[in-house]
Amino acid sequence: MSVKVDLTMVKTRSTQQRVAILQILEGTDEFRSAQEIHKLLEQKKLKVGLATVYRTLQKMAVQEDIDAIRSAHGEIIYRKCGQKEGHHHHLICRQCGITITVDGPTIENWTEKIAKENGFREVSHTLDIFGICKNCYRKA
Amino acid sequence: MSVKVDLTMVKTRSTQQRVAILQILEGTDEFRSAQEIHKLLEQKKLKVGLATVYRTLQKMAVQEDIDAIRSAHGEIIYRKCGQKEGHHHHLICRQCGITITVDGPTIENWTEKIAKENGFREVSHTLDIFGICKNCYRKA
DNA sequence: AGTCTTACTGAGAATAGTTATCAATAGACT
DNA sequence: AGTCTATTGATAACTATTCTCAGTAAGACT
Protein backbone atom coordinates (compact mmCIF):
# COMPACT_ATOMS: atom_id res chain seq x y z
CA MET A 1 0.00 0.00 0.00
CA SER A 2 3.03 2.28 0.25
CA VAL A 3 5.03 3.77 -2.57
CA LYS A 4 8.78 3.46 -2.50
CA VAL A 5 10.53 6.44 -4.02
CA ASP A 6 14.30 6.55 -4.45
CA LEU A 7 15.40 10.10 -3.90
CA THR A 8 19.07 9.47 -4.63
CA MET A 9 20.19 11.71 -7.44
CA VAL A 10 22.05 9.37 -9.78
CA LYS A 11 23.55 10.04 -13.17
CA THR A 12 21.77 8.23 -15.98
CA ARG A 13 24.16 6.63 -18.46
CA SER A 14 23.35 6.44 -22.12
CA THR A 15 23.58 2.74 -22.87
CA GLN A 16 22.80 0.80 -26.06
CA GLN A 17 19.83 -0.76 -24.31
CA ARG A 18 18.39 2.55 -23.17
CA VAL A 19 18.74 4.01 -26.66
CA ALA A 20 17.09 0.96 -28.23
CA ILE A 21 14.11 1.18 -25.89
CA LEU A 22 13.74 4.89 -26.49
CA GLN A 23 13.72 4.29 -30.26
CA ILE A 24 10.86 1.83 -29.92
CA LEU A 25 8.88 4.38 -27.91
CA GLU A 26 9.60 7.15 -30.37
CA GLY A 27 8.39 4.97 -33.23
CA THR A 28 4.78 5.09 -32.07
CA ASP A 29 2.12 7.18 -30.39
CA GLU A 30 0.57 4.14 -28.76
CA PHE A 31 1.00 2.93 -25.21
CA ARG A 32 3.24 -0.15 -25.00
CA SER A 33 3.83 -2.58 -22.16
CA ALA A 34 7.30 -3.70 -21.08
CA GLN A 35 6.57 -7.15 -22.46
CA GLU A 36 5.56 -5.75 -25.84
CA ILE A 37 8.68 -3.61 -26.05
CA HIS A 38 10.80 -6.61 -25.16
CA LYS A 39 9.25 -8.60 -28.01
CA LEU A 40 9.71 -5.73 -30.47
CA LEU A 41 13.39 -5.51 -29.54
CA GLU A 42 13.77 -9.24 -30.17
CA GLN A 43 12.23 -8.81 -33.61
CA LYS A 44 14.85 -6.15 -34.35
CA LYS A 45 17.50 -8.71 -33.31
CA LEU A 46 18.43 -6.55 -30.35
CA LYS A 47 19.06 -8.69 -27.30
CA VAL A 48 17.89 -6.71 -24.28
CA GLY A 49 17.01 -8.51 -21.07
CA LEU A 50 13.42 -8.32 -19.90
CA ALA A 51 14.49 -7.01 -16.51
CA THR A 52 16.41 -4.24 -18.21
CA VAL A 53 13.33 -3.22 -20.16
CA TYR A 54 11.29 -3.04 -16.94
CA ARG A 55 14.00 -1.12 -15.09
CA THR A 56 14.62 1.34 -17.88
CA LEU A 57 10.95 2.13 -18.44
CA GLN A 58 10.41 2.57 -14.73
CA LYS A 59 13.31 4.97 -14.50
CA MET A 60 12.20 6.94 -17.56
CA ALA A 61 8.76 7.30 -16.04
CA VAL A 62 10.20 8.65 -12.78
CA GLN A 63 12.40 11.10 -14.66
CA GLU A 64 9.30 12.07 -16.62
CA ASP A 65 10.76 11.20 -20.00
CA ILE A 66 7.69 9.07 -20.62
CA ASP A 67 4.11 8.63 -19.40
CA ALA A 68 3.11 5.52 -17.49
CA ILE A 69 -0.40 4.37 -16.74
CA ARG A 70 -1.97 1.16 -15.54
CA SER A 71 -4.16 -0.62 -18.10
CA ALA A 72 -7.48 -2.20 -17.18
CA HIS A 73 -5.79 -5.59 -17.37
CA GLY A 74 -3.20 -4.63 -14.79
CA GLU A 75 -0.17 -4.01 -16.97
CA ILE A 76 1.81 -0.79 -16.74
CA ILE A 77 1.87 0.73 -20.21
CA TYR A 78 4.25 3.43 -21.39
CA ARG A 79 4.24 6.11 -24.04
CA LYS A 80 6.56 8.86 -25.15
CA CYS A 81 4.49 12.02 -25.11
CA GLY A 82 5.17 14.21 -28.09
CA GLN A 83 3.69 17.29 -26.53
CA LYS A 84 6.03 17.89 -23.64
CA GLU A 85 4.58 21.33 -23.30
CA GLY A 86 2.12 21.27 -20.50
CA HIS A 87 1.35 18.43 -18.17
CA HIS A 88 -1.76 16.58 -19.26
CA HIS A 89 -4.00 13.67 -18.37
CA HIS A 90 -5.66 10.66 -19.91
CA LEU A 91 -9.22 9.59 -20.52
CA ILE A 92 -9.07 5.83 -20.85
CA CYS A 93 -11.68 3.27 -21.92
CA ARG A 94 -11.82 0.41 -19.45
CA GLN A 95 -12.98 -1.92 -22.21
CA CYS A 96 -10.87 -1.33 -25.30
CA GLY A 97 -8.12 0.82 -23.81
CA ILE A 98 -8.51 3.69 -26.27
CA THR A 99 -6.90 6.77 -24.77
CA ILE A 100 -7.70 10.43 -25.19
CA THR A 101 -5.28 13.09 -23.98
CA VAL A 102 -6.78 16.05 -22.15
CA ASP A 103 -5.25 19.21 -20.74
CA GLY A 104 -6.13 20.16 -17.22
CA PRO A 105 -5.33 23.73 -16.22
CA THR A 106 -8.19 23.53 -13.74
CA ILE A 107 -6.56 20.58 -12.04
CA GLU A 108 -3.07 22.07 -12.06
CA ASN A 109 -4.35 25.11 -10.19
CA TRP A 110 -6.45 23.12 -7.79
CA THR A 111 -3.69 20.70 -6.79
CA GLU A 112 -1.23 23.57 -6.37
CA LYS A 113 -3.66 25.34 -4.09
CA ILE A 114 -4.40 22.29 -1.94
CA ALA A 115 -0.70 21.49 -1.59
CA LYS A 116 0.19 25.06 -0.59
CA GLU A 117 -2.61 25.17 1.96
CA ASN A 118 -1.08 22.11 3.59
CA GLY A 119 2.48 23.41 3.45
CA PHE A 120 3.65 21.03 0.73
CA ARG A 121 6.30 21.97 -1.83
CA GLU A 122 7.67 20.47 -5.05
CA VAL A 123 4.22 19.31 -5.98
CA SER A 124 3.39 16.84 -8.70
CA HIS A 125 0.33 14.71 -9.28
CA THR A 126 -1.21 11.89 -11.26
CA LEU A 127 -4.75 11.82 -12.60
CA ASP A 128 -6.42 9.38 -14.93
CA ILE A 129 -10.08 9.25 -15.84
CA PHE A 130 -11.64 5.90 -16.68
CA GLY A 131 -14.93 5.09 -18.36
CA ILE A 132 -16.58 3.21 -21.18
CA CYS A 133 -16.19 4.87 -24.57
CA LYS A 134 -18.94 5.44 -27.11
CA ASN A 135 -18.00 2.45 -29.28
CA CYS A 136 -17.80 -0.08 -26.49
CA TYR A 137 -21.03 1.16 -24.97
CA ARG A 138 -22.82 0.69 -28.28
CA LYS A 139 -21.57 -2.90 -28.62
CA ALA A 140 -22.65 -3.90 -25.12
CA MET B 1 -5.55 -8.99 -24.06
CA SER B 2 -9.25 -9.82 -24.21
CA VAL B 3 -11.76 -9.77 -21.39
CA LYS B 4 -13.76 -12.89 -20.72
CA VAL B 5 -17.31 -12.19 -19.66
CA ASP B 6 -19.65 -14.98 -18.64
CA LEU B 7 -23.08 -14.13 -19.93
CA THR B 8 -24.82 -17.17 -18.43
CA MET B 9 -27.69 -16.05 -16.28
CA VAL B 10 -27.10 -17.86 -13.01
CA LYS B 11 -28.94 -17.52 -9.76
CA THR B 12 -26.88 -15.86 -7.04
CA ARG B 13 -27.25 -17.51 -3.65
CA SER B 14 -27.18 -15.51 -0.47
CA THR B 15 -24.40 -17.17 1.48
CA GLN B 16 -22.86 -16.23 4.82
CA GLN B 17 -19.65 -15.31 3.00
CA ARG B 18 -21.38 -13.05 0.52
CA VAL B 19 -23.25 -11.25 3.29
CA ALA B 20 -20.06 -10.79 5.32
CA ILE B 21 -18.24 -9.25 2.36
CA LEU B 22 -21.14 -6.95 1.59
CA GLN B 23 -21.18 -5.76 5.20
CA ILE B 24 -17.51 -4.79 5.00
CA LEU B 25 -18.19 -2.82 1.84
CA GLU B 26 -21.19 -1.12 3.35
CA GLY B 27 -19.17 -0.10 6.37
CA THR B 28 -17.02 2.33 4.43
CA ASP B 29 -16.95 4.87 1.60
CA GLU B 30 -13.39 3.94 0.68
CA PHE B 31 -12.23 1.68 -2.08
CA ARG B 32 -10.96 -1.65 -0.71
CA SER B 33 -8.90 -4.39 -2.32
CA ALA B 34 -9.75 -8.09 -2.07
CA GLN B 35 -6.75 -8.61 0.17
CA GLU B 36 -7.82 -5.82 2.52
CA ILE B 37 -11.34 -7.19 2.76
CA HIS B 38 -9.95 -10.63 3.47
CA LYS B 39 -7.86 -9.23 6.34
CA LEU B 40 -10.81 -7.28 7.73
CA LEU B 41 -12.92 -10.44 7.73
CA GLU B 42 -10.18 -12.26 9.63
CA GLN B 43 -10.19 -9.51 12.22
CA LYS B 44 -13.91 -10.04 12.67
CA LYS B 45 -13.16 -13.75 13.24
CA LEU B 46 -15.02 -14.60 10.06
CA LYS B 47 -13.20 -17.30 8.15
CA VAL B 48 -13.73 -16.60 4.46
CA GLY B 49 -11.29 -18.04 1.93
CA LEU B 50 -9.27 -15.58 -0.11
CA ALA B 51 -10.44 -17.13 -3.37
CA THR B 52 -14.02 -16.65 -2.26
CA VAL B 53 -13.40 -12.97 -1.58
CA TYR B 54 -11.95 -12.55 -5.08
CA ARG B 55 -14.75 -14.49 -6.73
CA THR B 56 -17.50 -12.71 -4.86
CA LEU B 57 -16.15 -9.22 -5.53
CA GLN B 58 -15.66 -10.05 -9.18
CA LYS B 59 -19.20 -11.28 -9.46
CA MET B 60 -20.63 -8.29 -7.60
CA ALA B 61 -18.76 -5.98 -9.97
CA VAL B 62 -20.18 -7.74 -13.04
CA GLN B 63 -23.67 -7.62 -11.59
CA GLU B 64 -23.04 -3.95 -10.90
CA ASP B 65 -23.62 -4.19 -7.18
CA ILE B 66 -20.27 -2.50 -6.66
CA ASP B 67 -17.71 -0.30 -8.44
CA ALA B 68 -14.36 -1.76 -9.43
CA ILE B 69 -11.32 0.17 -10.58
CA ARG B 70 -7.64 -0.56 -10.97
CA SER B 71 -5.41 1.30 -8.52
CA ALA B 72 -2.11 2.86 -9.55
CA HIS B 73 -0.38 0.04 -7.67
CA GLY B 74 -2.07 -2.59 -9.79
CA GLU B 75 -4.70 -3.90 -7.42
CA ILE B 76 -8.36 -4.01 -8.31
CA ILE B 77 -10.19 -2.00 -5.68
CA TYR B 78 -13.90 -2.15 -4.94
CA ARG B 79 -16.48 0.19 -3.48
CA LYS B 80 -20.19 -0.03 -2.85
CA CYS B 81 -21.87 2.33 -5.31
CA GLY B 82 -24.32 5.00 -4.31
CA GLN B 83 -22.52 7.09 -1.76
CA LYS B 84 -20.35 8.97 -4.24
CA GLU B 85 -20.19 11.89 -1.84
CA GLY B 86 -17.44 10.18 0.07
CA HIS B 87 -14.90 10.10 -2.70
CA HIS B 88 -11.74 12.00 -1.94
CA HIS B 89 -8.05 12.19 -2.75
CA HIS B 90 -4.67 12.02 -1.10
CA LEU B 91 -1.87 14.48 -0.58
CA ILE B 92 1.22 12.36 -0.01
CA CYS B 93 4.72 13.33 1.13
CA ARG B 94 7.33 11.77 -1.11
CA GLN B 95 9.80 11.74 1.78
CA CYS B 96 8.04 10.49 4.89
CA GLY B 97 4.86 9.15 3.33
CA ILE B 98 2.50 11.15 5.55
CA THR B 99 -0.89 11.31 3.89
CA ILE B 100 -3.54 14.00 4.08
CA THR B 101 -7.05 13.36 2.82
CA VAL B 102 -8.66 16.09 0.74
CA ASP B 103 -12.09 16.44 -0.81
CA GLY B 104 -12.29 17.38 -4.43
CA PRO B 105 -15.69 18.50 -5.68
CA THR B 106 -13.90 20.61 -8.27
CA ILE B 107 -12.21 17.52 -9.66
CA GLU B 108 -15.37 15.42 -9.62
CA ASN B 109 -17.15 17.97 -11.74
CA TRP B 110 -14.25 18.51 -14.08
CA THR B 111 -13.67 14.82 -14.80
CA GLU B 112 -17.40 14.26 -15.33
CA LYS B 113 -17.48 17.11 -17.82
CA ILE B 114 -14.42 15.95 -19.76
CA ALA B 115 -15.74 12.39 -19.93
CA LYS B 116 -19.16 13.47 -21.16
CA GLU B 117 -17.63 15.72 -23.80
CA ASN B 118 -15.82 12.69 -25.17
CA GLY B 119 -18.82 10.40 -25.04
CA PHE B 120 -17.58 8.31 -22.11
CA ARG B 121 -19.91 6.75 -19.55
CA GLU B 122 -19.55 5.03 -16.19
CA VAL B 123 -16.77 7.39 -15.27
CA SER B 124 -14.35 6.95 -12.41
CA HIS B 125 -10.94 8.44 -11.76
CA THR B 126 -7.82 8.32 -9.64
CA LEU B 127 -5.89 11.34 -8.40
CA ASP B 128 -2.98 11.61 -6.02
CA ILE B 129 -0.94 14.68 -5.24
CA PHE B 130 2.72 14.27 -4.28
CA GLY B 131 5.06 16.76 -2.65
CA ILE B 132 7.44 17.39 0.22
CA CYS B 133 5.70 18.20 3.50
CA LYS B 134 6.59 21.02 5.86
CA ASN B 135 8.52 18.83 8.29
CA CYS B 136 10.65 17.09 5.72
CA TYR B 137 11.40 20.35 3.95
CA ARG B 138 12.66 21.87 7.20
CA LYS B 139 14.97 18.93 7.84
CA ALA B 140 16.51 19.01 4.37
C1' DA C 1 -38.70 -32.36 7.50
C1' DG C 2 -36.25 -35.03 3.84
C1' DT C 3 -34.12 -35.09 -0.46
C1' DC C 4 -32.16 -33.40 -4.63
C1' DT C 5 -29.80 -30.25 -7.52
C1' DT C 6 -26.12 -27.39 -8.23
C1' DA C 7 -24.07 -22.91 -6.92
C1' DC C 8 -20.67 -21.98 -3.68
C1' DT C 9 -16.62 -22.75 -0.79
C1' DG C 10 -11.74 -23.45 0.73
C1' DA C 11 -6.99 -24.89 0.17
C1' DG C 12 -3.62 -24.96 -2.67
C1' DA C 13 -1.64 -25.07 -7.44
C1' DA C 14 -1.04 -22.28 -11.44
C1' DT C 15 -0.48 -18.01 -13.91
C1' DA C 16 0.82 -13.11 -15.23
C1' DG C 17 3.22 -9.09 -14.48
C1' DT C 18 6.75 -7.17 -12.08
C1' DT C 19 10.67 -6.54 -8.90
C1' DA C 20 14.91 -8.18 -6.38
C1' DT C 21 19.50 -10.46 -6.40
C1' DC C 22 24.15 -10.58 -7.67
C1' DA C 23 28.15 -11.43 -10.34
C1' DA C 24 29.79 -9.66 -14.68
C1' DT C 25 30.02 -5.73 -17.87
C1' DA C 26 30.76 -1.29 -19.74
C1' DG C 27 29.97 4.04 -19.76
C1' DA C 28 32.44 8.14 -18.42
C1' DC C 29 35.74 10.59 -15.97
C1' DT C 30 40.78 11.39 -14.70
C1' DA D 1 44.79 2.92 -19.82
C1' DG D 2 42.84 2.68 -15.22
C1' DT D 3 39.28 3.44 -11.87
C1' DC D 4 34.72 3.94 -10.26
C1' DT D 5 30.16 2.61 -10.25
C1' DA D 6 25.75 2.60 -12.96
C1' DT D 7 23.93 -0.88 -15.70
C1' DT D 8 23.07 -5.43 -17.43
C1' DG D 9 21.23 -10.30 -17.85
C1' DA D 10 19.62 -14.66 -16.01
C1' DT D 11 16.92 -16.21 -12.75
C1' DA D 12 14.70 -16.41 -8.28
C1' DA D 13 11.26 -14.22 -5.66
C1' DC D 14 7.20 -11.71 -5.09
C1' DT D 15 2.32 -9.91 -5.61
C1' DA D 16 -2.18 -10.01 -7.24
C1' DT D 17 -5.28 -12.87 -9.25
C1' DT D 18 -7.45 -16.96 -11.31
C1' DC D 19 -8.05 -21.97 -11.74
C1' DT D 20 -8.96 -26.74 -9.98
C1' DC D 21 -11.56 -29.93 -7.66
C1' DA D 22 -13.52 -32.38 -3.98
C1' DG D 23 -16.57 -31.27 -0.31
C1' DT D 24 -20.45 -28.18 1.47
C1' DA D 25 -24.77 -25.94 1.85
C1' DA D 26 -28.52 -22.74 -0.25
C1' DG D 27 -32.92 -23.18 -1.92
C1' DA D 28 -36.50 -25.63 -4.48
C1' DC D 29 -39.57 -29.41 -4.62
C1' DT D 30 -41.66 -32.89 -2.88
Side-chain angles (χ1 to χ4, degrees):
Chain A
M1 228 13 56
S2 66
V3 189
K4 267 188 257 175
V5 180
D6 186 2
L7 293 173
T8 335
M9 208 27 137
V10 284
K11 269 167 244 166
T12 300
R13 290 180 184 169
S14 165
T15 65
Q16 299 180 339
Q17 289 87 342
R18 192 184 172 85
V19 171
I21 290 167
L22 208 52
Q23 277 180 357
I24 294 282
L25 284 167
E26 278 168 348
T28 180
D29 289 338
E30 302 285 311
F31 276 98
R32 295 253 181 272
S33 70
Q35 307 268 1
E36 282 176 326
I37 290 170
H38 183 242
K39 279 204 192 75
L40 289 169
L41 288 168
E42 263 184 348
Q43 284 172 23
K44 289 177 78 175
K45 309 290 176 206
L46 296 169
K47 281 176 214 122
V48 180
L50 182 57
T52 300
V53 176
Y54 273 105
R55 271 184 305 228
T56 306
L57 289 171
Q58 195 180 262
K59 196 168 186 186
M60 284 178 177
V62 169
Q63 297 173 340
E64 304 196 52
D65 297 325
I66 58 174
D67 271 350
I69 62 166
R70 183 76 68 162
S71 81
H73 302 294
E75 310 158 287
I76 304 174
I77 49 181
Y78 301 89
R79 183 179 66 171
K80 182 119 177 48
C81 311
Q83 45 186 121
K84 273 208 169 176
E85 309 316 327
H87 183 59
H88 60 261
H89 304 284
H90 296 118
L91 178 55
I92 305 147
C93 178
R94 264 191 289 265
Q95 199 110 81
C96 66
I98 191 178
T99 303
I100 295 170
T101 301
V102 291
D103 290 339
T106 318
I107 307 305
E108 310 314 307
N109 297 338
W110 185 78
T111 55
E112 280 285 336
K113 198 185 114 223
I114 294 289
K116 281 228 174 79
E117 279 174 11
N118 287 278
F120 275 55
R121 309 198 193 184
E122 295 178 28
V123 184
S124 68
H125 68 272
T126 60
L127 167 65
D128 292 304
I129 313 172
F130 297 91
I132 305 291
C133 76
K134 236 179 285 184
N135 271 338
C136 292
Y137 205 85
R138 207 175 295 146
K139 282 179 207 157
Chain B
M1 248 351 74
S2 65
V3 188
K4 266 187 259 175
V5 179
D6 186 3
L7 293 175
T8 334
M9 207 28 136
V10 281
K11 268 168 245 165
T12 301
R13 290 181 183 167
S14 165
T15 65
Q16 298 179 340
Q17 291 86 341
R18 190 183 173 87
V19 171
I21 291 167
L22 208 52
Q23 276 180 357
I24 294 281
L25 284 167
E26 276 168 349
T28 181
D29 290 338
E30 302 284 313
F31 276 97
R32 294 253 180 271
S33 70
Q35 306 271 0
E36 281 176 326
I37 291 171
H38 183 241
K39 279 204 192 74
L40 289 169
L41 288 168
E42 264 184 349
Q43 284 172 23
K44 289 176 80 175
K45 309 289 176 205
L46 296 170
K47 282 177 212 117
V48 180
L50 183 57
T52 300
V53 176
Y54 273 104
R55 269 183 306 229
T56 306
L57 289 171
Q58 195 181 260
K59 195 167 187 185
M60 284 177 176
V62 169
Q63 297 174 341
E64 304 195 54
D65 296 326
I66 59 174
D67 270 350
I69 62 167
R70 180 78 65 164
S71 82
H73 302 294
E75 308 157 289
I76 303 174
I77 50 180
Y78 301 89
R79 183 180 64 175
K80 183 115 179 45
C81 313
Q83 59 250 73
K84 274 208 171 171
E85 47 274 337
H87 187 55
H88 59 258
H89 305 284
H90 294 118
L91 178 55
I92 305 150
C93 177
R94 263 191 291 263
Q95 199 109 83
C96 66
I98 191 179
T99 302
I100 295 169
T101 300
V102 292
D103 290 340
T106 319
I107 307 304
E108 313 311 309
N109 297 338
W110 185 78
T111 55
E112 281 284 339
K113 198 185 112 222
I114 292 290
K116 281 229 175 78
E117 280 174 10
N118 287 278
F120 275 56
R121 310 198 192 184
E122 295 178 28
V123 184
S124 67
H125 68 271
T126 61
L127 167 66
D128 291 305
I129 314 173
F130 296 91
I132 306 290
C133 76
K134 237 181 284 186
N135 272 338
C136 291
Y137 206 84
R138 207 176 295 146
K139 283 178 205 155

